[in-house]
Amino acid sequence: MIANNQTCAAGQDSAPYMTCMIHVLGEWLGVEQVEDYLNFASHLLWVFTPLILLVLPYFTIFLLYLTIIFLHIYKRKNVLKAAYSHNLWDGARKTVATLWDGHAAVWHGYEVHGMEKIPEGPALIIFYHGAIPIDFYYFMAKIFIHKGRTCRVVADHFVFKIPGFSLLLDVFCALHGPREKCVEILRSGHLLAISPGGVREALLSDETYNIIWGNRKGFAQVAIDAQVRTFLSARDTAEKETCISDQLPIIPMFTQNIREGFRSLGGTRLFRWLYEKFRYPFAPMYGGFPVKLRTFLGDPIPYDPKATAEEVAEKTKNAVQALIDKHQRIPGNIRSALLDRFHKEQKAN
């Protein structure tokens, strides 16, 4: 070991800096062969890091089940009902939204840009689907906290078959269709979110952020069928109310770095075949990295109310692609996404 009166630099015969630091660390800890301890720790790191990366994505599912447990406890505590004058679940939604918003801020530095583009009335929000749509969970929390509104969402059929999820989906107003139900929700003045790519986009897309919608255009037909009707009362009571049809706002949405937070192995031949065969997302995921997540809401998409569903779908796809081109580094890079935590953009909501 190096004597106390020696230095780490002694002319040309000096030890390399890191070797010197290891010797100093060994003396400070009072142990010998500290290099062996460090090598052992390095081996452990190489063994357990892949396991951690595979486990972290399922920590999100664990958080969802904690949310469900809380909702069941809340449901049984009927004494809380009197504390909220509007709805039994308002208090639960406020609590859950606050917890998820806190998780978003701490783990991902989550931001929403363009919240002012959400109208007071109905709107159809079309978003890109990440491997795990945790960005949409965060977005729903933001909407409830800042707007006091729930954003309905169309979820895949398999989600409703996950054990224990029924209460969570019911409280946060998730649905799996059909089209007539979506039209009814919009005509009632609510917000509705749809990811046309759905599970296929979640599994098969990658760090190139390619949009995988296929020929899906049902969401466009929903927008056409759900034209907003605003009733204007005439000043003269003798006149009848008139009805004016307005264009339903279609708002594109994209979250920067969502593919760097969680990665899917669904693009491999085996898992692609399994999905196409059984329509279940069997593909494993890894990640859970604390990358910077920024959700961007685009301007409402202008379209002719008399346009076909194909035309509206194409315009919407181009609007989402424009957000990706503007805000996303292609191909996505995990290291750069982590460094984005230290870079500031325009003021967010």
Side-chain angles (χ1 to χ4, degrees):
M1 302 297 285
I2 298 175
N4 291 335
N5 59 352
Q6 287 182 297
T7 63
C8 289
Q12 295 182 350
D13 297 328
S14 61
Y17 179 75
M18 287 305 297
T19 303
C20 173
M21 292 303 296
I22 290 173
H23 283 300
V24 172
L25 180 62
E27 285 191 346
W28 183 63
L29 295 175
V31 297
E32 297 181 357
Q33 303 298 331
V34 70
E35 296 94 335
D36 294 337
Y37 289 100
L38 292 176
N39 288 334
F40 179 69
S42 177
H43 288 308
L44 286 179
L45 187 63
W46 278 107
V47 170
F48 286 106
T49 296
L51 295 176
I52 293 172
L53 295 182
L54 289 173
V55 169
L56 273 176
Y58 301 97
F59 181 71
T60 302
I61 298 176
F62 172 71
L63 291 179
L64 288 172
Y65 273 106
L66 283 183
T67 302
I68 292 168
I69 292 172
F70 165 76
L71 292 176
H72 277 287
I73 295 172
Y74 182 92
K75 185 177 181 180
R76 290 182 178 275
K77 297 293 183 180
N78 292 326
V79 293
L80 292 176
K81 184 175 181 179
Y84 302 98
S85 57
H86 299 290
N87 188 285
L88 168 65
W89 292 113
D90 278 352
R93 293 189 184 106
K94 289 176 184 176
T95 304
V96 171
T98 301
L99 292 174
W100 277 89
D101 189 56
H103 183 273
V106 172
W107 195 248
H108 291 291
Y110 182 67
E111 302 173 1
V112 177
H113 297 261
M115 186 77 80
E116 70 281 355
K117 295 172 184 176
I118 301 293
E120 294 299 322
L124 180 60
I125 299 171
I126 304 297
F127 65 97
Y128 172 86
H129 202 302
I132 293 180
I134 194 168
D135 57 322
F136 188 75
Y137 308 156
Y138 295 158
F139 176 72
M140 285 197 298
K142 286 283 189 187
I143 285 288
F144 194 82
I145 291 171
H146 293 282
K147 298 278 189 177
R149 305 179 66 184
T150 54
C151 181
R152 275 75 171 166
V153 62
V154 176
D156 194 275
H157 287 271
F158 93 91
V159 177
F160 293 85
K161 299 177 182 179
I162 299 176
F165 265 48
S166 59
L167 180 61
L168 178 68
L169 296 170
D170 182 52
V171 171
F172 287 94
C173 308
L175 64 150
H176 55 74
R179 184 185 303 168
E180 293 74 18
K181 180 64 175 179
C182 296
V183 172
E184 178 186 341
I185 287 172
L186 290 168
R187 284 183 173 175
S188 299
H190 299 293
L191 298 174
L192 178 66
I194 298 176
S195 174
V199 176
R200 178 176 278 103
E201 189 169 79
L203 296 179
L204 305 184
S205 188
D206 54 23
E207 61 271 19
T208 62
Y209 286 84
N210 50 320
I211 296 176
I212 304 176
W213 289 6
N215 295 320
R216 292 186 177 180
K217 55 182 182 294
F219 71 94
Q221 192 61 54
V222 166
I224 294 171
D225 293 344
Q227 293 304 307
V228 184
R229 294 188 174 274
T230 306
F231 291 91
L232 302 177
S233 297
R235 291 184 179 181
D236 186 353
T237 54
E239 296 180 13
K240 295 182 179 180
E241 291 186 333
T242 58
C243 180
I244 300 177
S245 293
D246 295 326
Q247 186 184 84
L248 176 78
I250 301 178
I251 301 174
M253 171 177 148
F254 170 71
T255 300
Q256 183 186 65
N257 297 326
I258 187 60
R259 281 281 164 186
E260 280 58 73
F262 298 92
R263 292 278 174 89
S264 168
L265 300 178
T268 59
R269 181 177 298 179
L270 172 63
F271 295 118
R272 183 191 292 263
W273 178 84
L274 286 173
Y275 173 72
E276 297 296 346
K277 180 72 174 178
F278 300 102
R279 287 295 188 272
Y280 269 78
F282 292 108
M285 299 179 187
Y286 68 95
F289 304 107
V291 301
K292 182 69 176 182
L293 295 183
R294 295 186 181 97
T295 291
F296 293 92
L297 297 167
D299 293 324
I301 301 167
Y303 64 96
D304 186 346
K306 297 181 181 179
T308 64
E310 290 81 0
E311 293 171 336
V312 175
E314 186 64 24
K315 276 198 166 189
T316 306
K317 183 177 181 180
N318 292 338
V320 175
Q321 185 64 58
L323 288 177
I324 295 174
D325 294 341
K326 181 177 181 180
H327 300 291
Q328 183 59 52
R329 185 185 301 103
I330 303 292
N333 181 277
I334 295 173
R335 178 178 174 274
S336 298
L338 289 168
L339 292 176
D340 284 342
R341 294 292 298 267
F342 306 99
H343 297 157
K344 299 292 184 180
E345 285 211 357
Q346 67 267 28
K347 185 178 179 181
N349 291 287

